[in-house]
């Protein structure tokens, strides 16, 4: 899967960890709902299948590595870093709230435990996927709640009346 589905920050942090000899150090990244907007008391956990698929298939192609080598931010990165990316695979653990679980402020959606680079690189993808999918699922749940059991279809004003 596309290793560049992240932002430059994650990749430069990975290069820094690699250069500092910390590539194998374990880290825990917890994706937590910090606070909710006013008049909102929950959010539904969603996006886990997409995140798991991404992590299981995350890798860098030769073209992606060549692109990174050409960026000014990586001009001083050692060749060994790009070799590391060539063989990159996620080997960590993921702990998550089941899809559809209501979560409240301060509760984690997902926790990743992995070597620090393996936890850092997917951060952007995880945040955006969990955030977007959860927002859509929560909006759908709030719409159903607001309908209060009504199952009426609004009549299209352009639809021909049959009565």
């Amino acid at each position: 899967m596309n290793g560049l589905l992240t932002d430059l920050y994650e990749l430069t942090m990975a290069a820094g960890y690699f250069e500092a000899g910390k590539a194998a150090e374990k880290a825990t990244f917890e994706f937590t709902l910090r606070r909710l907007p006013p008049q909102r008391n929950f959010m539904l956990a969603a996006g886990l299948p997409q995140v798991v698929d991404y992590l299981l298939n995350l890798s860098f192609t030769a073209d992606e590595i060549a692109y990174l080598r050409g960026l000014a931010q990586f001009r001083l990165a050692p060749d060994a870093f790009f070799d590391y990316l060539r063989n990159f695979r996620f080997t960590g653990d993921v702990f998550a709230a089941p899809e559809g679980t209501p979560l409240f402020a301060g509760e984690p959606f997902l926790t990743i435990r992995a070597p620090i680079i393996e936890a850092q690189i997917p951060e952007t993808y995880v945040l955006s996927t969990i955030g977007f999918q959860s927002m859509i699922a929560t909006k759908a749940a709030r719409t159903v709640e607001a309908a209060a059991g009504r199952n009426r279809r609004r009549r299209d004003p352009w639809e021909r009346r049959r009565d």
Side-chain angles (χ1 to χ4, degrees):
M1 183 161 289
N2 190 338
L4 297 183
L5 288 179
T6 191
D7 62 31
L8 195 53
Y9 166 80
E10 312 298 0
L11 294 166
T12 55
M13 288 296 295
Y17 293 140
F18 187 87
E19 184 69 23
K22 297 180 183 260
E25 286 187 18
K26 296 285 183 177
T28 300
F29 283 40
E30 190 170 76
F31 300 87
T32 302
L33 180 61
R34 290 185 187 169
R35 61 187 159 275
L36 289 160
Q39 282 67 49
R40 303 286 188 257
N41 59 356
F42 72 92
M43 193 155 197
L44 294 181
L48 183 60
Q50 293 88 348
V51 167
V52 169
D53 182 61
Y54 173 76
L55 292 172
L56 289 174
N57 295 294
L58 178 57
S59 63
F60 289 85
T61 67
D63 287 341
E64 291 168 341
I65 292 169
Y67 170 75
L68 290 174
R69 277 184 184 271
L71 295 177
Q73 291 86 343
F74 296 100
R75 72 178 179 279
L76 299 177
D79 289 339
F81 174 67
F82 298 106
D83 292 339
Y84 174 86
L85 291 181
R86 186 173 294 108
N87 299 311
F88 183 89
R89 296 294 180 271
F90 181 81
T91 63
D93 296 311
V94 176
F95 306 91
E99 195 83 358
T101 301
L103 296 172
F104 307 97
E107 291 190 301
F109 277 71
L110 181 108
T111 301
I112 291 177
R113 285 193 198 134
I116 196 162
I117 294 177
E118 293 177 30
Q120 184 77 55
I121 288 175
E123 183 180 36
T124 300
Y125 182 89
V126 172
L127 284 171
S128 60
T129 300
I130 294 291
F132 179 74
Q133 296 288 341
S134 296
M135 178 183 64
I136 297 302
T138 303
K139 181 65 172 179
R142 291 186 196 292
T143 302
V144 169
E145 184 180 346
R150 292 186 303 268
N151 193 16
R152 249 183 293 160
R153 176 174 89 85
R154 291 183 97 177
R155 191 173 71 77
D156 182 346
W158 299 105
E159 183 180 329
R160 184 173 212 177
R161 257 192 121 124
R162 296 188 182 117
D163 37 288

